[in-house]
Amino acid sequence: MTTAPRRIDVHQHLVPSLYRDVLAQAGITEAGGRALPDWSPETALELMDLLGTETAILSVSTPGTGFLTDPEAAVGLARRLNDFSASLTAERPARFGWFATLPMPDADASAQEAERALTGLGADGVTLLANNQGPYLGADGQDPLWRVLDEHGAVVLVHPADLPAPAVDGIPPFAADFLLDTTRAAYLLVRNGIPRRYPNIRFILSHGGGFLPYAAHRMAVALASDTGRSPLDILDDFRGFYFDTALSSSPAALPTLLAFARPGHILFGSDWPFAPTAAGQYFANGLDDGVDAGTVAAVNRTNAEALFPRLAGGSPAPVPPRPLPDRLRQSARRAGARAFFKLIQPGTTGTSGNTRTPGNTAHN
């Protein structure tokens, strides 16, 4: 990894066996319409080396603990997941970090577990699902949690879940519903003033913020009519979120995200292992090929260093050398992924009149 970009991946998941077993007991074999992927620390490191990722901040994806109807069982599962994540990070602190799992929608229990994880276990932040079996972030009754997170200046990864409504046949939730779920949470957080009342919380919106960058002005007009606030203030709140690039650094999406987000507020994300390795390579290439070198460096690492000071500066994390056949195979996979990305862009095959234009990079 001597020539790797030293990415910090803020959107990478773990699926430890203790979690998979509890999900299986509940009859859950998929999340967001995708089968639960295989995961191990070793395969995570292999993917990270392929993408040039030095450190991954790991999180548990949907359904979190919300599928458990017994509140005590949800608390117990969250504690076990957080203890596991803390132990894994302690073994490889330069390669892994972690966002704590909280037993939402119980705000009081979540506040207690957040306190334990942030102060006792050294969590890098917490992850919250956009909705928890119905109630969205920003709904009434969540202030005990917001107070604790604000006191700690916590980083919060907002991750989508299945919408609180039946899925539409033929549309897997991860393909479209997840984007709406994140957008709904962002809308309600701003509508109900959470970012202004708790300004020390740093919210990261998954997948480029869902539809938010594209529809922010439309939503600001709606919120202004609803609340009487200035649309400019509302847009300022929307731009105050952080955004990760997981599955979102395409030639169509990335320019909008770069034009909308505040400087320093875009972070690298892969969504592995729920997003397969090929998808991670595709969207990483979209970032690397779509913007100038300074912006790439900021998104890959510098912006995340500001949120996670323990990762700032220092020398690259030591990586044991892989056998020559493995290195050659990785090099071939990178070259093939770059060629594939360039091949399928609009205007490259002669079948479309559109041509690809670089994203506006002035905002990051």
Side-chain angles (χ1 to χ4, degrees):
M1 271 178 57
T2 56
T3 61
R6 299 186 66 198
R7 305 188 208 265
I8 297 175
D9 186 348
V10 303
H11 189 150
Q12 189 179 134
H13 297 299
L14 74 166
V15 192
S17 58
L18 73 91
Y19 186 52
R20 186 185 297 273
D21 291 346
V22 177
L23 291 174
Q25 292 170 8
I28 298 173
T29 59
E30 64 176 35
R34 295 188 65 91
L36 292 175
D38 293 329
W39 176 86
S40 70
E42 292 70 30
T43 54
L45 290 170
E46 182 176 350
L47 176 279
M48 290 162 63
D49 292 346
L50 180 66
L51 296 187
T53 299
E54 182 167 305
T55 307
I57 313 296
L58 304 177
S59 58
V60 172
S61 185
T62 183
T65 65
F67 66 96
L68 295 170
T69 57
D70 180 357
E72 292 186 3
V75 170
L77 178 58
R79 290 178 65 92
R80 287 195 291 150
L81 285 168
N82 293 336
D83 289 342
F84 177 90
S85 299
S87 177
L88 175 65
T89 299
E91 294 172 3
R92 299 182 177 93
R95 303 307 308 274
F96 292 124
W98 62 289
F99 290 116
T101 299
L102 303 182
M104 289 290 278
D106 188 330
D108 290 315
S110 293
Q112 293 178 16
E113 183 58 18
E115 182 73 37
R116 186 182 83 96
L118 293 168
T119 61
L121 300 180
D124 292 293
V126 306
T127 185
L128 293 173
L129 297 182
N131 89 85
N132 294 271
Q133 307 298 310
Y136 271 87
L137 299 182
D140 292 339
Q142 297 170 356
D143 289 277
L145 175 60
W146 301 136
R147 283 194 293 269
V148 168
L149 297 178
D150 189 68
E151 288 169 3
H152 289 284
V155 179
V156 176
L157 176 69
V158 177
H159 193 281
D162 289 347
L163 294 176
V168 177
D169 289 344
I171 304 178
F174 77 88
D177 294 354
F178 271 17
L179 302 176
L180 175 59
D181 202 48
T182 300
T183 305
R184 284 177 167 181
Y187 188 100
L188 286 176
L189 285 168
V190 169
R191 180 190 183 279
N192 294 332
I194 304 305
R196 297 214 166 208
R197 288 159 50 203
Y198 302 100
N200 296 319
I201 301 174
R202 280 79 56 79
F203 290 98
I204 303 173
L205 302 182
S206 297
H207 310 121
F211 303 130
L212 176 58
Y214 182 83
H217 288 258
R218 173 175 177 157
M219 293 192 293
V221 170
L223 275 173
S225 176
D226 179 26
T227 65
R229 294 179 57 201
S230 163
L232 292 177
D233 287 345
I234 294 166
L235 285 169
D236 191 56
D237 286 351
F238 282 147
R239 295 183 69 237
F241 291 118
Y242 290 78
F243 305 85
D244 73 50
T245 65
L247 303 177
S248 302
S249 48
S250 70
L254 186 58
T256 301
L257 181 57
L258 287 166
F260 178 75
R262 281 183 187 169
H265 279 228
I266 303 178
L267 314 164
F268 178 78
S270 70
D271 210 352
W272 189 86
F274 286 92
T277 298
Q281 288 183 281
Y282 179 87
F283 287 99
N285 280 318
L287 172 64
D288 293 343
D289 294 346
V291 295
D292 64 87
T295 299
V296 173
V299 174
N300 278 339
R301 185 172 186 91
T302 310
N303 295 345
E305 286 181 331
L307 288 181
F308 308 104
R310 75 174 184 86
L311 300 177
S315 302
V319 179
R322 293 184 179 274
L324 179 60
D326 288 352
R327 298 201 303 272
L328 292 174
R329 185 164 52 250
Q330 279 195 345
S331 179
R333 292 174 71 183
R334 293 190 189 103
R338 286 194 296 269
F340 177 76
F341 177 83
K342 293 178 180 179
L343 178 66
I344 67 171
Q345 298 313 310
T348 60
T349 63
T351 60
S352 169
N354 296 325
T355 57
R356 183 176 177 226
T357 57
N360 175 12
T361 62
H363 291 269
N364 196 20

